[in-house]
């Protein structure tokens, strides 16, 4: 579903506010400095107005833009990543298999999630200097350790861990089998 253009219509809301306030098309058009025909076309979703036109109409109706776009986030599509289409990145033998792709439109709520596989004796490197945000992981297989600042936390299957990512941190596999975990990071760091 990526790259698919979605239409979002504000015409119904503009018409409802105009009618509720008892304004005519001509009144709104004059106050906004646009043609009556343009206001009518916008209300019927025949045209998508330029942002400055939309601002002028919102001012003419004495409404906030937030009201006009309040339903926008509710119309976001569900994003599916089929298991056979997951993107994989390998760094120093550690495999990162994307399960949630970061969506730039989510702003401060953007996350990324991936399966992390650390081979026996391997360790992650990217967090060794720390970064902004938070991380959360749940161990699926194997035993490992999180080195966080000067502390070390032993991890076994079923354990979960979360932390501020600002301190230096690495995951190391001290076991004879692969260490596998589901890992979530916000803001996204790897799959941008």
């Amino acid at each position: 579903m990526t790259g698919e253009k979605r239409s979002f219509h504000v015409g119904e809301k503009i018409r409802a506010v105009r009618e509720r306030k008892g304004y005519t098309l001509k009144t709104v058009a004059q106050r906004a400095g646009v043609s009556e025909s343009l206001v009518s076309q916008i209300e019927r979703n025949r045209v998508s107005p330029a942002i400055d036109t939309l601002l002028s109409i919102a001012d003419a109706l004495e409404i906030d833009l937030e009201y006009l776009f309040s339903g926008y986030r509710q119309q976001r599509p569900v994003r599916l990543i089929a298991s056979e289409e997951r993107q994989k990145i390998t760094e120093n033998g550690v495999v990162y298999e994307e399960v949630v792709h970061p969506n730039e439109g989510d702003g401060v709520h953007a996350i990324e999630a991936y399966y992390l596989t650390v081979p026996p004796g391997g360790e992650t490197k990217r967090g060794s200097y720390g970064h902004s945000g938070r991380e959360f992981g749940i161990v699926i297989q194997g035993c490992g350790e999180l080195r966080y600042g000067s502390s070390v936390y032993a991890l076994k299957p079923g354990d979960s861990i979360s932390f501020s990512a600002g301190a230096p941190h690495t995951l190391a596999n001290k076991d004879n089998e692969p260490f596998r975990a589901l890992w979530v990071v916000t803001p996204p760091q790897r799959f941008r």
Side-chain angles (χ1 to χ4, degrees):
M1 281 263 167
T2 58
E4 180 180 309
K5 185 176 180 181
R6 292 178 289 117
S7 59
F8 184 76
H9 304 294
V10 295
E12 293 89 359
K13 285 186 175 184
I14 290 173
R15 181 185 305 121
V17 170
R18 179 181 62 76
E19 290 174 348
R20 191 169 51 245
K21 291 190 173 208
Y23 295 163
T24 64
L25 285 170
K26 184 175 184 176
T27 302
V28 174
Q30 286 175 339
R31 288 182 176 187
V34 297
S35 72
E36 191 175 331
S37 171
L38 179 59
V39 175
S40 175
Q41 289 177 337
I42 292 169
E43 284 187 356
R44 291 180 290 138
N45 294 312
R46 304 279 172 144
V47 297
S48 292
I51 191 68
D52 58 339
T53 301
L54 195 56
L55 286 167
S56 296
I57 292 172
D59 284 345
L61 291 170
E62 301 166 333
I63 57 175
D64 293 327
L65 278 181
E66 290 85 12
Y67 167 73
L68 291 177
F69 292 103
S70 63
Y72 178 72
R73 290 207 182 273
Q74 297 168 0
Q75 294 184 13
R76 296 224 167 157
V78 171
R79 179 159 182 161
L80 169 70
I81 299 176
S83 60
E84 65 275 4
E85 295 174 358
R86 289 186 186 138
Q87 181 180 352
K88 291 183 182 179
I89 296 174
T90 302
E91 295 174 348
N92 301 323
V94 177
V95 178
Y96 303 86
E97 185 179 351
E98 180 182 48
V99 293
V100 173
H101 183 78
N103 186 343
E104 295 298 326
D106 288 339
V108 297
H109 302 292
I111 63 167
E112 70 180 355
Y114 45 83
Y115 285 121
L116 170 72
T117 306
V118 183
E123 70 179 60
T124 62
K125 301 285 187 201
R126 193 170 283 212
S128 59
Y129 296 105
H131 56 84
S132 65
R134 292 199 56 80
E135 295 192 20
F136 159 80
I138 185 163
V139 180
I140 298 168
Q141 171 190 341
C143 295
E145 62 184 29
L146 173 73
R147 296 181 198 133
Y148 184 81
S150 60
S151 299
V152 177
Y153 300 88
L155 301 170
K156 64 185 182 321
D159 288 352
S160 62
I161 192 161
S162 64
F163 54 91
S164 169
H169 55 279
T170 58
L171 279 168
N173 183 349
K174 299 296 185 186
D175 206 356
N176 294 329
E177 66 175 311
F179 173 83
R180 190 159 161 82
L182 175 64
W183 216 257
V184 179
V185 179
T186 183
Q189 301 290 315
R190 187 163 276 102
F191 288 98
R192 288 210 149 204

